[in-house]
Amino acid sequence: ASIDIVSKQELPKIKLFDTYRRGIYEFQPLSDKQVTLYACGPTVYDFAHIGNLRNYFFVDTLQRVLTLNNYNVKHVMNITDVGHLTSDADNGEDKMLKGARKRGQSAWDIAKFFEDAFMRDLALLAIKTPTVICRATEHIDEQITYICALEDQGFTYKTADGIYFDTLKLDSYGHLARLDIAGLQAGKRVSIAQKKNITDFALWKFSVQENDSSERQMQWQSPWGLGFPGWHIECSAMSEKYLGAAFDIHVGGEDHIPVHHSNEIAQCEGRHGKQPANFWMHGYFLQMGDEKISKSGRSLLLTQLQEQGYEALAFRYLLLTSHYRSKLRFSLKALDSATIALKRIRNLMAQWPEGGQVNAQAQQRFLSFVNDDLKMPQAVAVLWSVAKSDLKNADKKATLLYFDEVFALSLDIPSKEATKASTKNIPSEVLALAEQRLQARENHNWVESDALRAAILALGFSIKDSAQGYSLEAYIC
Ligand code: AMP
Ligand code: ZN
C-alpha cells in the first residue's frame, strides 16, 4: 500500500465509537502485531438482502481503514447454519428448517447454497473475504465444552426444552444495551415457559419436542442428550477459539445489541469473568421508507438491482455516503445519483495520466476523517475536492487511487460508456456537453438538461440516459 508516504507516527489516531461505553475512544489494539476482529455473520436460510450487505460493507470499511493504518487484521466471521430460532425468546422454529421446508431441500443443502450466494454477494460488493470463516455446525464440540464450563460455574439450569443461562446470576447482565432488567421482569406479559427470568436464554435445546422430533435434521449427541446449540453460544465458542478470550473489536448489526451481543457478553463473563471485546461496534440499518429491510418482510437483493441495470459498486458508493451509525433510507433515486457520481469520477480518472504522487495534504485530510470513527461521507467529499482541485492530474489520480484502497470502487476502471465513447470517436465538444448535461441532471436542472440535449442533437448525436450515466450515438438520418 502507498501508506509509506506517511510514517506511522504521523497517522492521525484512530478513534472508534464503542457501544459498551457509549462513546468515542482512541483505538489501541491489544497487540502491536495484529488487530483481532470478530463479526457476527449471516444466518444462511435465505439470500442476504441489501440491508445485510450494508452491515458487511461496514465491517469491510473498518478492516480496510485498519489495514491502511498499517495494521494486520485477523477478521473472523461465523456462519450461522443451526440454532437461530425465528423468535429471540428461544421459541419458534429453527430458521434453517424453515428455509429448508420453503425450498423443499435439506437444511444442510440450503446452508451450503445460501452461504455460496452470500460469498458471491460479498465479492460483487468488493468486500474482502474474512481471514477465518467458521460454521456453527462445524464447532459443536467447542460449544458443548463452553456450555459445560458454564454449567460447572453454576450459570445454567435445565427446563423441559433445554439448558438455559441464568442471566440474573450476573450483576452486569444487559449493560451493553442498558437494559432495564427490573422493568423487563416486572412488565413481562409474554409467557416465558419454564425460564426463570425473561432475559434468560437457551444454550442447548433438546431435539425431542413437540413439532420438532420428526423434522429435526441437525442434531448432535451431548451430555444433555440429542439436541442442538442455542444461537448465541456459537459466537462465544468460535471467537474464543480463533481470537482468544479477549480480542479487540466485536461488530454486528444494531439489532444485536439487546439480545445476541448481550448474551455473548453474559456467556463470556460467566466463563472468564469479563466481557471479550475492547470495542463493540454496531452498524445501523438500511431502510426502505420507514420500514427496515428484512428477510421476512421487505427485502431487496443486490442481484435484483443488477438485473435492473445497476452496478453493484454504485450501491457501494451509495453506502459510502452515509455514516455507519445512522440509518440509511434506500431509494432507486439515491442509487441513480450514486451511479452518476461513480461514472463521473471514473471518467475523470480515465483522462488523467499515470505516474503521479499521492498528495500528502489530501492524504492527511482523508485519514483524519476515516480514522475518526469512519467518517466516510466526509472522506467522499475529500475525493471530490481533490478531483476539482488544481493539483496535477497525475497526482490527483495517484491520490484517488490511494483513497480507493478504502473506498474499493474500482475507480481506475473507466465506465462502459467512457470506453464506448472513446472507441466511437465522439468529438470532445459533444462529450463536454454530455458531461454538463449530467451535472445539470444531478442538480435536477431539467430545463438546462433539455437544452443541452438539443445542443448535442444539433451536433449530430443522440444521448440516452442509463443506469451508468449516459450513452452517445451518432445520429444517422
Ligand atoms: P442475519 O443473516 O439475519 O443473521 O443478519 C445478518 C446481519 O445483517 C446481522 O448483523 C444483522 O444485524 C444485519 N442486518 C439485518 N437487517 C439489516 C438491515 N436492514 N440493515 C442493516 N443490517 C441488517
Ligand atoms: Zn454473534
Side-chain angles (χ1 to χ4, degrees):
S2 28
I3 192 71
D4 46 40
I5 305 161
V6 175
S7 71
K8 205 158 178 178
Q9 293 74 31
E10 287 176 89
L11 287 165
K13 298 228 176 312
I14 301 179
K15 287 175 281 168
L16 301 170
F17 185 86
D18 176 21
T19 308
Y20 197 85
R21 288 174 285 177
R22 292 288 146 97
I24 293 182
Y25 292 87
E26 188 183 320
F27 174 71
Q28 275 295 346
L30 292 165
S31 135
D32 279 351
K33 296 192 186 71
Q34 198 172 48
V35 173
T36 42
L37 168 69
Y38 185 87
C40 291
T43 308
V44 283
Y45 70 106
D46 207 338
F47 291 107
H49 52 65
I50 55 172
N52 299 131
L53 294 176
R54 182 185 191 202
N55 183 61
Y56 301 104
F57 154 81
F58 149 59
V59 185
D60 184 62
T61 305
L62 173 64
Q63 172 169 353
R64 285 173 181 276
V65 167
L66 292 166
T67 307
L68 200 66
N69 280 271
N70 286 334
Y71 287 116
N72 164 15
V73 183
K74 182 170 182 187
H75 171 187
V76 177
M77 182 185 74
N78 67 305
I79 301 279
T80 299
D81 52 2
V82 68
H84 191 173
L85 305 188
T86 46
S87 154
D88 277 348
D90 288 312
N91 45 44
E93 198 176 4
D94 188 320
K95 291 186 179 185
M96 296 307 302
L97 295 183
K98 189 176 166 189
R101 204 186 45 245
K102 186 170 153 194
R103 306 209 175 235
Q105 288 173 12
S106 79
W108 296 97
D109 287 343
I110 65 152
K112 168 99 185 64
F113 176 79
F114 288 117
E115 182 186 320
D116 289 349
F118 174 72
M119 296 312 295
R120 282 197 296 276
D121 281 338
L122 295 193
L124 283 173
L125 262 192
I127 292 171
K128 285 191 175 157
T129 309
T131 327
V132 175
I133 295 178
C134 40
R135 299 180 189 93
T137 52
E138 290 172 3
H139 296 78
I140 299 297
D141 286 348
E142 288 85 346
Q143 296 177 73
I144 291 175
T145 304
Y146 209 113
I147 301 168
C148 287
L150 290 174
E151 199 170 49
D152 290 346
Q153 285 156 291
F155 284 99
T156 67
Y157 63 90
K158 185 175 171 184
T159 71
D161 73 358
I163 304 294
Y164 280 79
F165 189 102
D166 186 345
T167 51
L168 292 203
K169 287 254 160 92
L170 289 170
D171 294 338
S172 55
Y173 180 79
H175 176 78
L176 179 76
R178 307 295 191 264
L179 292 182
D180 167 15
I181 304 294
L184 281 172
Q185 285 284 68
K188 64 186 178 206
R189 270 178 233 104
V190 288
S191 151
I192 59 168
Q194 291 185 26
K195 287 203 291 189
K196 287 191 194 166
N197 313 296
I198 191 162
T199 46
D200 293 354
F201 56 92
L203 295 163
W204 187 265
K205 295 272 280 187
F206 307 139
S207 273
V208 187
Q209 295 168 48
E210 240 182 301
N211 308 326
D212 191 22
S213 52
S214 57
E215 261 202 272
R216 191 81 227 157
Q217 297 168 20
M218 292 173 148
Q219 53 188 355
W220 293 266
Q221 277 303 342
S222 79
W224 317 281
L226 206 55
F228 59 98
W231 172 35
H232 319 293
I233 196 71
E234 67 180 79
C235 288
S236 292
M238 294 192 283
S239 62
E240 181 176 322
K241 173 168 180 173
Y242 294 104
L243 299 174
F247 51 91
D248 292 310
I249 311 176
H250 194 311
V251 286
E254 57 168 323
D255 57 327
H256 287 343
I257 299 170
V259 180
H260 182 54
H261 287 171
S262 291
N263 294 347
E264 274 189 49
I265 287 174
Q267 290 164 159
C268 193
E269 284 181 339
R271 180 160 184 183
H272 297 292
K274 60 187 182 59
Q275 63 105 336
N278 277 351
F279 280 81
W280 285 86
M281 296 180 68
H282 295 95
Y284 279 49
F285 269 22
L286 186 67
Q287 307 190 153
M288 281 205 263
D290 290 328
E291 221 178 300
K292 70 173 188 185
I293 300 180
S294 74
K295 285 180 186 169
S296 52
R298 264 189 103 166
S299 179
L300 182 59
L301 310 182
L302 188 60
T303 46
Q304 290 174 326
L305 291 176
Q306 284 188 310
E307 280 157 21
Q308 291 181 48
Y310 291 101
E311 186 190 331
L313 292 183
F315 178 59
R316 188 171 173 111
Y317 186 102
L318 174 63
L319 294 178
L320 283 164
T321 61
S322 80
H323 190 246
Y324 76 92
R325 277 191 298 112
S326 52
K327 295 201 193 291
L328 172 61
R329 277 169 194 255
F330 176 83
S331 71
L332 288 181
K333 216 166 146 195
L335 187 57
D336 284 336
S337 303
T339 301
I340 291 171
L342 182 58
K343 176 195 168 288
R344 278 187 62 207
I345 195 68
R346 283 182 181 159
N347 284 352
L348 286 170
M349 292 272 283
Q351 294 161 31
W352 296 337
E354 309 280 332
Q357 289 229 320
V358 176
N359 179 270
Q361 223 183 336
Q363 182 182 31
Q364 277 295 340
R365 239 171 358 118
F366 177 80
L367 285 167
S368 74
F369 287 126
V370 299
N371 283 7
D372 183 10
D373 196 30
L374 314 179
K375 290 205 162 61
M376 303 317 291
Q378 287 86 338
V380 173
V382 177
L383 172 147
W384 285 106
S385 72
V386 169
K388 289 173 183 166
S389 71
D390 48 16
L391 289 177
K392 279 197 288 193
N393 283 343
D395 291 352
K396 288 184 190 176
K397 184 167 197 156
T399 307
L400 296 199
L401 286 177
Y402 166 77
F403 295 173
D404 208 27
E405 288 175 27
V406 174
F407 291 146
L409 292 169
S410 293
L411 292 179
D412 52 345
I413 296 180
S415 62
K416 280 183 226 140
E417 276 64 24
T419 321
K420 215 158 92 184
S422 61
T423 54
K424 284 194 173 173
N425 276 332
I426 293 185
S428 58
E429 62 266 43
V430 174
L431 278 175
L433 288 171
E435 281 296 318
Q436 278 175 39
R437 184 168 168 276
L438 198 57
Q439 176 92 58
R441 280 169 54 75
E442 234 178 89
N443 299 336
H444 302 284
N445 192 339
W446 312 120
V447 177
E448 192 187 336
S449 153
D450 285 348
L452 286 161
R453 177 196 289 275
I456 293 165
L457 267 176
L459 290 172
F461 286 84
S462 70
I463 183 161
K464 258 201 240 138
D465 299 312
S466 71
Q468 280 81 20
Y470 59 82
S471 62
L472 288 161
E473 282 192 17
Y475 202 68
I476 303 161
C477 309

